[in-house]
């Protein structure tokens, strides 16, 4: 399809010069461009196809960037990026040095708030609206939030605040609910479109306020008020938002520009908190994505004419798949197991579990705080909850982890997916901090399996402990070590020696590499040229202090390796023990630096961070001056 009209749009100002028929043509071209672009780069697709018309309407009505639009999560902002001057850079999407997959303030003045985690938009927009009011700026603010993100408690905290005066006055804010999943088909259509436009217009508001002023003080006033609420409730499902203090409008068809634009124009001119409910369809305009929005949510590169295809050679199982299989096997063996996910059934590998054990499966929505305390409640009653959660999502339930789980020493297993570098999703999803923020919590244990088989064993070990345990594993596949199908444990709190240095005493500086997690394998590769000893530590907490002590006693230098932040991480645990034991062996800590890790190919990112075999070797030689002449054959156990 030709995108000639789209190529004349370099900013929303160009968009506002178009006629209504031209806007409809632009929507077709924009949708085609999004499909073509994502098919070449990979990325979020279904959500972006569903927000084309809504994006056009918002930028047409709101005077961006002076007016503010805040997108919740932000995986639906590709049309927004294309219309705000980044069309020609879409080929770099989610690649190292290219466009981010989510809004970023340092990328464009139109990205008013950086997002990627859910349910934050209303809070941020409310802050912006109150700031404009205090500064005396004639500025409008809109927050766009999906029905999924609205399950997050933070969204309701913001709604509760936004609809209350509280002495500061009501903010002029519009919340747009982008509803692409709830079954509200009857209200969508000509009648509802008419009601939405009527209710958002000045006539309806004037008539309603006029009637109130006439009736106020009479017995009919309360009756009229109740009648209005009940009558309106029969037409639109907005009672809860009205009760929170928002003027509710909708639902309207989110793919109909002739409904969206005049409704938004009416609402932009109104004061106080407004709530617009729009109905959209994920994958809209691309039949394959409409039929299967889940699999087309975040596809890799594909041919749009053919659709998603299974690879000719089956890929290696991912850590997520290893977890999903273990979960089913353990549930079969122990009926106390209950699985919990905060709205990440597919991402966390729980699809088969839900099918096989529906009564023991709980998707609590985007509510990480609730998920953690819900698990604590289950554990109090003798069950064995397993919370499958991304590393960065657990950050949102940190207080609950400390106060409700660890303080009471409850047996909850935290299966931490996406720990370490995540690739294209970038700094918002990079699991850099879990080792540091978990290691400092009393009674909390943390396992760092190095491969797929060890991951399964670590999960079994964690499940059979009588206390809180986290098992962290990265996104994607490991080295391809096929897991033993049994439910075997690891020796608690014990690492293992994987390679011994061949250096005899007095021949040179003996190096020991202490690897936590999947960096074991690049450490083994680097050890070949360094002739270093390699230990697979397995546990960040409890640390195998006997192994650390022995390595410190028999080696000249120690090097710790972790795919997590160096500050406060597993390497810090080694340093703390050495200090406490009075051991003064030099230590080099390698891991993620004190900076956010950008988006890009994971292998390239690890290389750029010096966490591949070549980088490890280079860092050791630079720090300790290990000479090249010390290359020796490996002596293995």
């Amino acid at each position: 399809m030709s995108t000639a009209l789209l190529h004349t749009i370099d900013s929303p100002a160009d968009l506002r010069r178009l006629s209504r028929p031209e806007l409809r043509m632009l929507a077709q071209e924009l949708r085609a461009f999004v499909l073509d672009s994502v098919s070449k780069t990979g990325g979020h697709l279904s959500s972006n196809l569903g927000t084309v018309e809504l994006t056009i309407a918002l930028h047409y009505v709101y005077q961006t960037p002076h007016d503010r639009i805040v997108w919740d999560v932000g995986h639906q902002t590709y049309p927004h990026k294309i219309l705000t001057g980044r069309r020609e850079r879409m080929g770099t999407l989610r690649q190292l040095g290219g466009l981010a997959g989510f809004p970023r303030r340092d990328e464009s003045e139109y990205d008013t708030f950086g997002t990627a985690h859910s349910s934050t938009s209303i809070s941020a927009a409310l802050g912006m609206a109150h700031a404009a009011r205090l500064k005396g700026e004639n500025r409008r603010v809109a927050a766009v939030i999906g029905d999924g993100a609205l399950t997050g408690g933070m969204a309701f905290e913001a709604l509760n605040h936004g609809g209350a005066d509280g002495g500061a006055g009501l903010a002029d804010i519009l919340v747009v609910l982008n509803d692409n999943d709830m079954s509200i088909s009857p209200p969508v259509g000509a009648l509802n479109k008419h009601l939405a436009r009527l209710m958002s217009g000045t006539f309806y508001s004037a008539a309603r306020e006029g009637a109130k002023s006439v009736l106020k003080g009479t017995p009919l006033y309360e009756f009229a008020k109740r009648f209005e609420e009940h009558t309106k409730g029969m037409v639109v499902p907005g009672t809860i938002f009205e009760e929170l203090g928002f003027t509710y409008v909708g639902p309207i068809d989110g793919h109909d520009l002739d409904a969206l634009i005049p409704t938004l124009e009416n609402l932009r001119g109104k004061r106080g908190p407004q709530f617009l409910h729009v109905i959209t369809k994920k994958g809209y305009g691309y039949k394959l994505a409409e039929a299967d929005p889940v699999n087309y949510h975040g596809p890799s590169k594909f041919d749009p004419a053919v659709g998603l295809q299974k690879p000719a050679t089956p890929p290696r199982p991912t850590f997520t798949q290893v977890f999903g299989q273990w979960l089913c096997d353990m549930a079969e063996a122990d009926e106390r197991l209950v699985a919990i996910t905060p709205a990440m059934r597919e991402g966390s590998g729980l699809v088969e579990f839900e099918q096989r054990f529906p009564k023991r499966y709980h998707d609590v929505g985007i509510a990480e705080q609730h998920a953690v305390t819900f698990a604590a409640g289950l554990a109090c009653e003798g069950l064995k909850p397993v919370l499958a959660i991304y590393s960065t999502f657990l950050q949102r339930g940190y207080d609950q982890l400390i106060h409700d789980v660890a303080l009471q020493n409850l047996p909850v297993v935290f299966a931490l997916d996406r720990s370490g570098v995540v690739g294209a999703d970038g700094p918002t999803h990079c699991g850099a901090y879990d080792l540091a923020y978990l290691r400092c919590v009393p009674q909390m244990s943390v396992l760092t399996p190095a491969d797929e088989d060890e991951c399964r064993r670590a999960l079994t070990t964690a499940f059979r402990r009588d206390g809180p345990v986290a098992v962290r594993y990265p996104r994607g596949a490991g080295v391809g070590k096929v897991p033993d199908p049994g439910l075997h444990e690891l020796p608690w709190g014990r690492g293992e020696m994987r390679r011994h240095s061949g250096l005899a005493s007095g021949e040179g500086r003996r190096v020991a590499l202490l690897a936590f997690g999947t960096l074991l394998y690049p450490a083994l590769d680097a050890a070949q040229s360094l002739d270093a000893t390699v230990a697979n530590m397995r546990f960040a907490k409890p640390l195998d202090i006997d192994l650390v002590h022995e390595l410190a006693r028999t080696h000249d230098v120690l090097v710790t390796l972790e795919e997590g932040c160096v500050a406060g991480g597993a390497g810090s645990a080694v340093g703390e023990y050495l200090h406490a034991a009075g051991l003064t062996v030099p230590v080099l800590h390698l891991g993620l630096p004190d900076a956010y890790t950008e988006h890009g190919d994971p292998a390239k990112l690890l290389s750029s961070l010096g966490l591949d075999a070549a980088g490890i070797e280079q860092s050791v030689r630079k720090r300790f001056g290990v000479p090249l002449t010390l290359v020796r054959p490996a002596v293995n156990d």
Side-chain angles (χ1 to χ4, degrees), residues 471-557:
V471 180
R472 76 183 305 260
Y473 45 90
R475 181 178 189 175
V479 295
K481 189 169 183 181
V482 179
D484 185 308
L487 295 170
H488 308 297
E489 297 183 43
L490 296 170
W492 183 253
R494 295 295 176 187
E496 63 169 355
M497 293 292 295
R498 290 294 295 265
R499 187 187 191 278
H500 286 280
S501 169
L503 284 175
S505 178
E507 285 192 351
R509 306 189 76 184
R510 298 190 66 192
V511 178
L513 305 179
L514 287 68
F516 294 86
T518 54
L519 290 187
L520 169 68
Y521 289 93
L524 287 168
D525 290 341
Q528 295 292 331
S529 56
L530 293 170
D531 193 15
T533 295
V534 179
N536 175 20
M537 297 304 297
R538 287 179 169 167
F539 289 80
K541 185 180 181 181
L543 183 69
D544 188 345
I545 58 175
D546 292 337
L547 179 55
V548 173
H549 194 104
E550 178 64 16
L551 291 171
R553 186 184 67 81
T554 57
H555 291 74
D556 300 298
V557 297

Side-chain angles (χ1 to χ4, degrees), residues 109-134:
E109 63 179 333
Y110 293 93
D111 291 1
T112 60
F113 195 77
T115 55
H117 281 192
S118 169
S119 313
T120 62
S121 61
I122 305 175
S123 297
L126 191 60
M128 294 175 182
H130 274 290
R133 183 173 177 274
L134 287 170

